Amino acid sequence: MSVTIASPQLRAQVSDKGAELVRLQDERGRDLLWDGDPAFWTGRSPLLFPVVGRVRNDRIQVDGSEYELPKHGFARGSRFEIKEVEPSRCLFRLHSDEATLRQYPFPFQLDVSYTIDGTTLTIAASVTNSGSAAMPVSFGFHPAFRWPLPFGSPREAHAIRFEREEPAPIRRPVDGLISSKAETSPVRDGTLLLDDALFEADALVFDRLESRSVVYGAPQGGSIRVDFSGMPHLGIWTKPGAGFICIEPWQGHADPEGFDGELSTKPGIVLIQPGGARDFVMKITIRQGEV
């Protein structure tokens, strides 16, 4: 089941499976989001919770016990309750249950809202700790935008422009874990020129990110601005030859190679105290004119 929200400039469709954004269109009905072609990747914009990326041996450690947890967690495959639907806003909710507690032994409530205001879609996730112990959490957004965007420019003209310079080295996943080996940043003068060759060795992981917004598009025509003020990490990924580029704001990332500690000590994890909550927000704005 899905719901649709809209403004005169933007239209979004959200599925109850994973509370996932599955379609995003501009005022002319042009699709901005990947269509989930199974020849490449069936995702469109999954939500990553309670971990981002893969954990070592697909298991987490909590108080000395191990729990099997899949890559990116279980939220993306879960059915959410549809709690509110308005013309330009909807709210989805996921509660912990017996199945989630077998994988992640923490009671929680995850609320995800989608709100459209003019040309901006805001996705806000709020994680509440319903238990009696501090709860270790990561969260990530994973939207896959069309590459090329449907504004008339060729694929090779597209780039991602960062809010700030990004001189720090990047990292790559190796068997799903973050490599201990750093690579020179491919960002030059705040710009990442997109090319399939960039992704032959998997995603780019910015774990020392300076920017909190990027603009994706070609020099002329429309573009997409992604804002993520509270998210300190970023992944950029595609499968070479596919028609999408993922721009992924994260709080946390996959286990580093060699990490074998408790989930609470994993790099990028945040702790939510009993009864407390933590919000994670991403904004997608459609822009006309030059990038």
Side-chain angles (χ1 to χ4, degrees):
M1 183 176 179
S2 64
V3 300
T4 298
I5 59 174
S7 71
Q9 298 87 12
L10 201 59
R11 186 178 186 89
Q13 182 181 350
V14 186
S15 172
D16 65 342
K17 182 180 179 181
E20 182 177 4
L21 177 69
V22 294
R23 198 166 195 185
L24 186 65
Q25 296 175 303
D26 69 4
E27 77 284 353
R28 291 172 52 183
R30 295 177 293 192
D31 282 302
L32 308 171
L33 203 67
W34 171 243
D35 63 3
D37 182 351
F40 289 98
W41 182 56
T42 58
R44 291 172 171 86
S45 183
L47 301 177
L48 317 181
F49 170 85
V51 293
V52 173
R54 188 182 172 203
V55 293
R56 185 173 179 265
N57 298 325
D58 297 318
R59 293 179 178 275
I60 58 171
Q61 295 185 46
V62 178
D63 294 333
S65 297
E66 287 194 343
Y67 300 83
E68 188 170 349
L69 189 62
K71 182 180 179 180
H72 293 323
F74 48 71
R76 60 179 176 160
S78 300
R79 292 286 175 186
F80 282 63
E81 299 175 71
I82 302 174
K83 301 298 292 185
E84 298 175 18
V85 179
E86 301 173 10
S88 60
R89 182 181 182 275
C90 56
L91 174 67
F92 293 78
R93 179 169 294 165
L94 180 68
H95 284 286
S96 53
D97 58 21
E98 290 184 5
T100 69
L101 292 170
R102 285 194 295 269
Q103 302 172 81
Y104 174 71
F106 298 95
F108 68 86
Q109 176 177 298
L110 170 58
D111 284 350
V112 181
S113 67
Y114 290 81
T115 305
I116 291 181
D117 182 7
T119 59
T120 297
L121 171 66
T122 300
I123 310 171
S126 181
V127 181
T128 300
N129 181 352
S130 307
S132 58
M135 181 171 71
V137 166
S138 280
F139 191 91
F141 299 99
H142 199 317
F145 299 108
R146 300 268 176 156
W147 180 21
L149 288 170
F151 302 138
S153 295
R155 192 169 183 265
E156 60 271 17
H158 286 60
I160 295 174
R161 290 173 171 79
F162 289 74
E163 174 190 28
R164 300 181 181 178
E165 298 291 334
E166 296 295 342
I170 64 160
R171 299 187 185 275
R172 300 272 192 173
V174 176
D175 295 326
L177 305 182
I178 298 299
S179 174
S180 57
K181 179 182 177 182
E183 295 183 16
T184 300
S185 174
V187 178
R188 297 289 180 270
D189 298 323
T191 299
L192 177 67
L193 300 176
L194 293 177
D195 185 280
D196 282 325
L198 275 174
F199 305 99
E200 290 177 355
D202 212 324
L204 313 179
V205 177
F206 294 81
D207 60 345
R208 294 166 56 187
L209 187 70
E210 296 290 337
S211 301
R212 294 297 181 268
S213 71
V214 298
V215 176
Y216 161 60
Q220 285 79 38
S223 62
I224 293 175
R225 179 184 173 109
V226 182
D227 292 284
F228 43 96
S229 61
M231 312 292 281
H233 310 116
L234 186 70
I236 298 177
W237 172 73
T238 191
K239 288 189 173 181
F244 68 84
I245 187 74
C246 289
I247 299 173
E248 308 175 38
W250 298 336
Q251 171 63 64
H253 47 68
D255 279 5
E257 284 185 308
F259 178 76
D260 192 26
E262 291 268 322
L263 179 62
S264 60
T265 66
K266 175 183 172 179
I269 284 284
V270 294
L271 292 177
I272 303 176
Q273 297 303 315
R278 181 73 176 252
D279 296 335
F280 307 94
V281 179
M282 176 180 67
K283 294 185 178 184
I284 298 170
T285 302
I286 310 308
R287 306 182 353 156
Q288 301 299 326
E290 295 188 359
V291 175

